Amino acid sequence: MPRLTGACDVLLDWPVPLKAIEIAARALPSRDRARFVAFVKTMRSEDLARALPPTVLDAIVVALSPLQPCPAQGSEPTSVASCQRSKVPPDSILAVRPAAEAAGTRRATLTTAWNDGLVARLQRGHGPRLVPAFFLHEAMAIGDAMRERLSASAVAHRLGLPLYAVEQMLCLGVLTASGLRLSTDWDRHFLIETDVPDFTDRIEAAVTRNLSDPIRLVDAFRSIPGRKPWGPAIEAMLADVPFVIADDDGPMFQRVSIERADMLRICRSRFDHAAWPDRLSSEMILEDALEILNLTWKPTAVVFSKPVTGKMPKRIAVDDVLDLAALYVSTGELMCRTSRSSSAIVKFLEDAALTQPFTGCWFRMQAEQALGFAGAMFSCV
């Protein structure tokens, strides 16, 4: 009985009570595994075995199965191919380092997947601590998913759109995001490689043969301050709005044109950003900020008048960019709204004693009053 009592104490106190943790006992160091085995040898009585909680019995049985790490040759990282050649069972339990090497991904990625509950929350002993452990097949699945995914930012760049435009389409169901997202990712959405061709095929299938009076969609949107209704516009294009795609080089949506007669309808469509607070990014890159401000070149002084975070790329809070769009109006936007040339706009406003606080920008209220606008044509949202 003293041996049994002592063995029970070892089981319940290593390193915290078993009831409070979820543990892969076969991943224990050999010294502690031997102590488990010694405990089991004292339990020959069926009555005593029935008296133990099932979770404790399961831990004891698993403890008797030795850990089967994926072997590495020399000092080279363990690869997926070497795991397959060595015929390591897919349910083998690995520590984070060999699991990451086998999966071809970073240790931080697997640890985040473990914390996010995307894999079984196994644990192993590491000195006095418990650390994450992984089934080999789950680690490799995470590695495959990370290699397959495309960030919404990457998709936006490929299509010639700002990130918020892709987010609008995802919210409306125009575009599908099937990729894996981790809690530490900056992007809110991830797609997989097949999501993009599925979408572009639908766009190309809806193209009209020709237009009588075309205007590029990006030029039409320069008449709108703030975020443009890209999502509703593309949804309408897939439904009934005629459009063409020029046979030039460049991203798809930089080459899309619509009928000038449909411009007002498209520009007045709305996307309710407030309805999707958890699916829209709170920051944007410099290029997207310039698109919101209707600046076609890169006079960045106006953007850098607000706090900027990050390095590559630099990011600006969306709310700060919208504040700038409400305060300043670009010469390019005034050109679209008045059908005047850039030089004519500049001369008219300078003759009205207005100055540019930043290159290519004017105070919105003063410029709109000077040009005879009754009020802002659109709100900056």
Side-chain angles (χ1 to χ4, degrees), residues 16-176:
V16 292
L18 266 179
K19 290 181 180 179
I21 63 173
E22 185 177 353
I23 180 170
R26 82 174 95 175
L28 299 178
S30 58
R31 178 188 60 192
D32 296 307
R33 193 181 307 117
R35 294 165 75 182
F36 270 109
V37 173
F39 170 67
V40 173
K41 288 180 179 179
T42 68
M43 300 176 56
R44 300 300 183 188
S45 167
E46 293 183 3
D47 292 338
L48 184 60
R50 283 196 295 270
L52 285 171
T55 54
V56 175
L57 285 175
D58 291 343
I60 294 168
V61 172
V62 175
L64 294 175
S65 175
L67 177 65
Q68 295 175 308
C70 186
Q73 301 191 358
S75 59
E76 296 181 0
T78 304
S79 65
V80 175
S82 65
C83 288
Q84 293 171 342
R85 287 195 299 270
S86 61
K87 299 181 180 179
V88 176
D91 62 345
S92 297
I93 298 175
L94 306 180
V96 64
R97 184 190 294 272
E101 290 173 351
T105 190
R106 298 168 56 242
R107 282 178 284 170
T109 298
L110 285 186
T111 301
T112 302
W114 189 93
N115 289 329
D116 291 349
L118 300 176
V119 296
R121 292 174 63 86
L122 306 177
Q123 293 177 305
R124 66 185 296 272
H126 183 75
R129 299 182 297 117
L130 289 175
V131 296
F134 302 86
F135 285 122
L136 174 60
H137 69 277
E138 290 189 339
M140 293 178 69
I142 292 294
D144 291 341
M146 294 296 291
R147 284 184 290 274
E148 185 184 25
R149 71 180 190 165
L150 293 170
S151 69
S153 299
V155 173
H157 179 74
R158 181 184 298 187
L159 296 176
L161 294 169
L163 172 59
Y164 74 84
V166 172
E167 291 176 337
Q168 287 181 7
M169 288 192 290
L170 290 170
C171 291
L172 294 174
V174 176
L175 190 58
T176 302

Side-chain angles (χ1 to χ4, degrees), residues 136-360:
L136 174 60
H137 69 277
E138 290 189 339
M140 293 178 69
I142 292 294
D144 291 341
M146 294 296 291
R147 284 184 290 274
E148 185 184 25
R149 71 180 190 165
L150 293 170
S151 69
S153 299
V155 173
H157 179 74
R158 181 184 298 187
L159 296 176
L161 294 169
L163 172 59
Y164 74 84
V166 172
E167 291 176 337
Q168 287 181 7
M169 288 192 290
L170 290 170
C171 291
L172 294 174
V174 176
L175 190 58
T176 302
S178 308
L180 173 67
R181 182 182 185 272
L182 302 178
S183 59
T184 53
D185 289 320
W186 180 75
D187 276 276
R188 296 292 183 97
H189 308 278
F190 286 86
L191 296 81
I192 60 176
E193 194 65 44
T194 56
D195 290 335
V196 181
D198 289 346
F199 169 70
T200 55
D201 288 348
R202 290 169 54 211
I203 293 292
E204 291 173 351
V207 168
T208 307
R209 288 186 177 274
N210 50 58
L211 301 178
S212 59
D213 185 17
I215 179 174
R216 284 203 314 158
L217 185 58
V218 291
D219 293 333
F221 276 161
R222 288 198 184 102
S223 64
I224 307 174
R227 287 176 289 196
K228 288 42 170 175
W230 282 102
I234 295 171
E235 190 175 42
M237 288 163 50
L238 289 170
D240 57 1
V241 172
F243 69 96
V244 295
I245 303 176
D247 295 330
D248 303 327
D249 294 332
M252 171 180 282
F253 284 96
Q254 295 296 311
R255 298 182 284 119
V256 167
S257 295
I258 61 172
E259 285 281 13
R260 195 175 296 272
D262 292 322
M263 175 179 167
L264 189 59
R265 169 190 169 188
I266 289 293
C267 291
R268 283 184 170 173
S269 58
R270 284 289 177 267
F271 179 84
D272 186 4
H273 295 90
W276 308 91
D278 299 330
R279 302 195 65 184
L280 302 174
S281 300
S282 60
E283 293 181 318
M284 61 177 53
I285 63 173
L286 176 61
E287 186 176 357
D288 292 353
L290 294 174
E291 188 263 357
I292 281 181
L293 296 170
N294 293 313
L295 293 169
T296 54
W297 61 100
K298 296 194 175 182
T300 55
V302 62
V303 177
F304 289 128
S305 65
K306 293 290 187 178
V308 176
T309 61
K311 292 184 178 180
M312 295 192 61
K314 291 182 173 65
R315 302 189 186 102
I316 307 98
V318 172
D319 289 343
D320 285 345
V321 178
L322 295 178
D323 288 343
L324 292 174
L327 182 59
Y328 303 111
V329 59
S330 71
T331 303
E333 179 184 327
L334 295 175
M335 290 169 57
C336 291
R337 293 172 62 179
T338 62
S339 300
R340 300 184 187 183
S341 66
S342 172
S343 58
I345 291 288
V346 172
K347 184 179 185 306
F348 182 88
L349 294 180
E350 287 180 345
D351 289 346
L354 300 187
T355 59
Q356 300 183 52
F358 298 100
T359 303

Side-chain angles (χ1 to χ4, degrees), residues 3-22:
R3 290 177 60 199
L4 178 60
T5 302
C8 288
D9 290 339
V10 169
L11 177 65
L12 296 177
D13 294 337
W14 185 93
V16 292
L18 266 179
K19 290 181 180 179
I21 63 173
E22 185 177 353

